[in-house]
Amino acid sequence: MEYTFESDEIENKISFIEKMAGRMREQALKMAYSVGSIGSHIGGGLSMIEIMATLYGGILRFDPDNPEWDNRDRFILSKGHGVLAYYTALAEAGFFSTDELLKFEVSGEFLPGHPILNMEKGIECSTGSLGMGLPFGAGIALAGKMEKKPYLTYVLVGDGECDEGSIWEAAMFASHYHLSNLIVIVDHNKLQYDGPCCDVMNLDNFKAKWESFGWEVTEVDGHNIRDLYHAFSCCTQSAIVKPHVIIASTIKGKGVSFMENNKAWHHSVLSRKQYDQAIEEIRGANND
Amino acid sequence: MTNSNLLNIRFISKLGQRGAFAISMEEIAAQDDEIVVLTADLTTLTGLTRFKEKFPEKLINTGIAEQNMVGVAAGMAKEGKNVFVTTYSNFLAMRSYEQIRVQLGYMKSNVKVIGTGSGLAMGMSGNTHYGIEDLTLMRAIPNVMVVSPADGLETVKVIKSAARYQGPMYVRLSGGMKNPIVYNEDYEYEFGKAIQLKNGRDIAIIATGTMVYESLKAAEILHEKGVSASVINMHTIKPLDTAIINDVCLHSNLIVTVEEHSVIGGLGGAVAECLSEIANTPRQVKIGIHDAFQRVGDYQYLLEENNLTGPQIADRIISEYSNDGKNMHEIDGPDTV
């Protein structure tokens, strides 16, 4: 991507989001370590930190003091196991305090391993079973169109999640009904539970698949906040009639050397030593 | 009851439950701006052609994609729409089962799931199209109300009440065209409150859906043979009317459940679960569809194969009742209705 002009305002925003992403990644590691031996979905949480920071730090319109504000943008986490990035983003956005993040995977608390509908805390949908968030988001977007509401609906899906047939049912539906107010982000980290997506279920011609289903496609480096910010800004400003998918190329376990591109960290337990090393690496990267 | 209303009731019943649903939706949509009906390529076969002509913007066709249809329905309900989704009951109850569980039950979405052609109504289409496990499946999902109307008029009442109800609901529409009429005149309907259609001294027949009519016929035959049977229309399977079951336990020697549904887990299962918690209950006989894939045939053939016609139900009850050592006795006077 090339940009000819950046206003101070946008530069400030990008800088703000970058700092937010740094805090979120460190917080996510703290949460993952806090749950002890039950472990958590670390790899796919760390791959989507920048996406979530960009959305909640600069793109989405919302009001944590009025979580059911009618014109808020709707966000659905279809890959429900991506909660480390989701909960940290919601805390950064002010829906609850960062102290409450330590309620993660605590019995009876509101932050389980997959999100539960909780409007007060900014959570629009219960997810966990894959392939369901996109149809739900399409329904929200269609209702918005029918009522001529100004909100946009964003749905984050995983690339492994795109094995589910319901994703493509919804992809057909969204273009058929011209849901230009629907924006999908694919966290394309190229690894699913059993291994590389290309070995488990090949996603070849991924961009072409979405295009052939009638979607406007943007490919972007999912860890580059500047690129993400501009990709999202284009979606919100364009006058196109198609639904829009941003295929964000990411690295599973991003930011921690021993986790990156390692399928063992899809869901795993952090030892004290590993946690210390992970924090050190993340702080080092944040200070660069 | 005026003549015109009576004619109306007869007309509605001739449309079958599916037709009654479609007519009700037209009436509701004319009054409620938030109504939306979703179909999975079955606009015509679920009787919605006229609805589509009258309210094109309120009919959303998702194509043959039931899982997506339920998800879209949940999303629209979240935005305040009063959503009905409909296709054949088996495709909803089974193919979209998890979507109904997570996106409707778990989130208490205001979506009414209307399963048409359930039971054996799909006749020659074969087992892929029979909806004979839907009650078992739907009633296992928390928060989902499960309803099975007895005839056309009751379908109208159920659909109109459903439009006013907030929350997820499964409505089982069964039978073909020209449904037998159970209700010849208007009556009070309330979810969860069973209707006693006939009082009897010896046996309580608890039926649902199309089998309410067949059970009334069976009760007439029993009456001629000296056995006095109550007939209860258990139109709501969940929440079950446990008060009426408690009551019939006090007054019956035998409890019989009758449904056009598998004998496993449906009305019979629900009643058995209820009885298991009551001390000294009468024995229960479960009449329903055998636990087997069916030899394909037309609707009447399938009912007879499963012993679900009025005379067959009466025969089975007499046989079971005799086995219990009960004697047929002369009835002193007519049963009360």
Side-chain angles (χ1 to χ4, degrees):
Chain A
M1 278 193 179
E2 287 182 19
Y3 319 109
T4 51
F5 173 77
E6 301 282 39
S7 70
D8 285 350
E9 190 192 348
I10 290 177
E11 283 304 326
N12 289 341
K13 221 171 226 179
I14 289 169
S15 166
F16 170 80
I17 297 167
E18 280 170 347
K19 290 193 180 77
M20 175 171 160
R23 291 192 299 273
M24 283 167 58
R25 183 163 272 114
E26 186 169 334
Q27 201 65 253
L29 260 297
K30 275 186 195 164
M31 288 163 66
Y33 183 65
S34 75
V35 300
S37 61
I38 59 171
S40 60
H41 285 99
I42 303 178
L46 295 184
S47 66
M48 51 186 264
I49 292 278
E50 282 78 13
I51 298 169
M52 296 303 289
T54 308
L55 285 169
Y56 279 87
I59 296 295
L60 297 180
R61 291 163 294 182
F62 56 84
D63 178 3
D65 295 327
N66 183 13
E68 298 197 52
W69 173 42
D70 202 31
N71 291 340
R72 74 190 182 280
D73 290 330
R74 275 63 164 168
F75 174 81
I76 310 297
L77 180 65
S78 193
K79 52 168 284 189
H81 55 286
V83 288
L84 289 177
Y86 189 27
Y87 295 157
T88 51
L90 289 168
E92 283 282 341
F95 286 99
F96 45 88
S97 74
T98 48
D99 291 347
E100 287 194 288
L101 287 171
L102 291 178
K103 292 178 177 171
F104 176 56
E105 295 198 347
V106 172
S107 298
E109 284 295 347
F110 71 100
L111 300 175
H114 296 95
I116 299 175
L117 170 66
N118 185 340
M119 288 307 295
E120 192 192 331
K121 306 293 186 184
I123 299 170
E124 299 264 1
C125 183
S126 300
T127 53
S129 181
L130 294 173
M132 293 194 190
L134 186 49
F136 189 82
I140 290 178
L142 179 60
K145 279 235 155 185
M146 288 168 87
E147 298 297 319
K148 297 186 172 56
K149 295 267 178 74
Y151 65 76
L152 296 172
T153 304
Y154 294 78
V155 181
L156 177 62
V157 303
D159 48 7
E161 184 180 10
C162 292
D163 295 353
E164 291 283 2
S166 50
I167 291 288
W168 302 103
E169 289 182 5
M172 275 185 280
F173 178 88
S175 66
H176 183 84
Y177 282 95
H178 309 294
L179 301 182
S180 54
N181 55 348
L182 177 64
I183 297 154
V184 165
I185 311 101
V186 183
D187 178 16
H188 192 20
N189 61 32
K190 304 165 199 74
L191 261 185
Q192 52 195 106
Y193 221 143
D194 275 354
C197 295
C198 58
D199 292 344
V200 177
M201 188 47 61
N202 204 334
L203 286 172
D204 260 2
N205 300 320
F206 198 41
K207 177 173 186 258
K209 281 190 172 80
W210 285 98
E211 280 172 341
S212 72
F213 275 82
W215 287 60
E216 187 78 20
V217 184
T218 303
E219 290 181 299
V220 69
D221 174 352
H223 297 304
N224 184 318
I225 283 164
R226 186 177 298 276
D227 285 2
L228 281 166
Y229 184 82
H230 282 278
F232 282 124
S233 300
C234 288
C235 297
T236 57
Q237 288 159 12
S238 68
I240 52 170
V241 294
K242 294 177 177 181
H244 205 130
V245 58
I246 294 173
I247 300 176
S249 188
T250 59
I251 295 168
K252 202 154 179 172
K254 169 73 177 173
V256 182
S257 59
F258 58 88
M259 291 184 189
E260 287 194 356
N261 291 318
N262 182 351
K263 73 167 188 172
W265 286 95
H266 178 92
H267 185 284
S268 200
V269 179
L270 271 170
S271 69
R272 177 79 214 187
K273 197 176 158 198
Q274 286 168 328
Y275 170 72
D276 288 341
Q277 184 188 334
I279 290 289
E280 195 176 319
E281 287 182 16
I282 285 168
R283 284 185 182 159
N286 290 346
N287 293 331
D288 282 347
Chain B
M1 172 69 47
T2 63
N3 274 344
S4 63
N5 275 347
L6 194 59
L7 283 174
N8 208 16
I9 286 168
R10 290 188 183 283
F11 168 69
I12 284 167
S13 290
K14 278 188 180 169
L15 294 173
Q17 297 194 9
R18 173 155 75 187
F21 156 68
I23 282 201
S24 310
M25 286 316 305
E26 286 176 40
E27 206 174 310
I28 296 162
Q31 295 157 5
D32 182 349
D33 288 342
E34 300 304 332
I35 288 283
V36 182
V37 183
L38 277 69
T39 177
D41 194 35
L42 283 189
T43 307
T44 306
L45 287 171
T46 48
L48 291 166
T49 310
R50 262 171 44 129
F51 182 93
K52 187 186 173 188
E53 284 162 8
K54 282 171 97 167
F55 307 103
E57 74 290 355
K58 292 183 179 181
L59 187 97
I60 308 295
N61 196 334
T62 63
I64 311 162
E66 295 80 8
Q67 297 174 60
N68 180 57
M69 177 167 73
V70 173
V72 168
M76 297 187 86
K78 179 104 191 318
E79 295 306 323
K81 292 289 175 190
N82 194 353
V83 189
F84 285 71
V85 297
T86 182
T87 185
Y88 294 148
S89 68
N90 52 323
F91 302 140
L92 280 165
M94 289 184 274
R95 193 180 284 256
S96 310
Y97 189 65
E98 209 195 344
Q99 277 78 9
I100 295 173
R101 175 176 178 264
V102 174
Q103 301 196 295
L104 305 191
Y106 197 26
M107 293 197 280
K108 299 182 184 171
S109 304
N110 186 30
V111 175
K112 315 300 161 2
V113 180
I114 314 297
T116 65
S118 74
L120 300 164
M122 297 305 294
M124 284 300 177
S125 294
N127 286 281
T128 55
H129 284 57
Y130 300 160
I132 58 184
E133 306 92 345
D134 53 337
L135 292 177
T136 311
L137 293 165
M138 290 295 111
R139 75 184 190 86
I141 302 175
N143 300 328
V144 176
M145 191 188 284
V146 180
V147 181
S148 170
D151 70 355
L153 179 61
E154 190 155 89
T155 301
V156 172
K157 289 179 172 290
V158 165
I159 297 300
K160 287 185 176 176
S161 305
R164 292 190 296 267
Y165 175 81
Q166 279 287 321
M169 180 187 297
Y170 175 72
V171 180
R172 175 180 219 244
L173 300 184
S174 51
M177 291 284 281
K178 295 185 182 171
N179 255 191
I181 297 172
V182 171
Y183 293 100
N184 283 302
E185 51 188 77
D186 205 5
Y187 67 102
E188 286 289 315
Y189 179 88
E190 191 183 328
F191 290 132
K193 201 163 188 305
I195 298 167
Q196 181 139 2
L197 295 168
K198 192 171 186 309
N199 293 321
R201 290 186 302 274
D202 304 323
I203 290 171
I205 304 175
I206 303 173
T208 196
T210 47
M211 288 299 114
V212 174
Y213 175 80
E214 300 297 338
S215 297
L216 285 167
K217 267 178 33 183
E220 279 173 29
I221 297 166
L222 291 172
H223 177 78
E224 286 161 13
K225 298 193 176 187
V227 179
S228 167
S230 308
V231 177
I232 290 161
N233 171 15
M234 191 65 82
H235 51 72
T236 306
I237 315 298
K238 186 183 182 182
L240 196 67
D241 186 346
T242 53
I244 203 163
I245 294 172
N246 265 291
D247 190 52
V248 297
C249 283
L250 299 173
H251 304 107
S252 314
N253 298 316
L254 188 69
I255 290 177
V256 183
T257 50
V258 194
E259 61 199 309
E260 192 184 319
H261 182 276
S262 169
V263 287
I264 298 174
L267 170 69
V271 170
E273 287 163 21
C274 175
L275 292 178
S276 73
E277 297 191 353
I278 305 170
N280 304 319
T281 58
R283 190 165 80 86
Q284 179 188 350
V285 172
K286 293 203 294 285
I287 297 179
I289 296 170
H290 315 310
D291 177 30
F293 287 107
Q294 307 293 308
R295 274 160 62 106
V296 175
D298 65 27
Y299 183 51
Q300 194 57 35
Y301 167 88
L302 290 164
L303 288 182
E304 285 168 15
E305 278 286 289
N306 285 281
N307 301 313
L308 291 176
T309 66
Q312 289 171 310
I313 293 165
D315 284 350
R316 170 82 186 275
I317 291 173
I318 286 166
S319 159
E320 296 276 356
Y321 199 52
S322 305
N323 288 343
D324 285 352
K326 305 288 182 188
N327 295 318
M328 305 296 127
H329 58 261
E330 287 302 315
I331 291 175
D332 300 331
D335 295 340
T336 51
V337 177

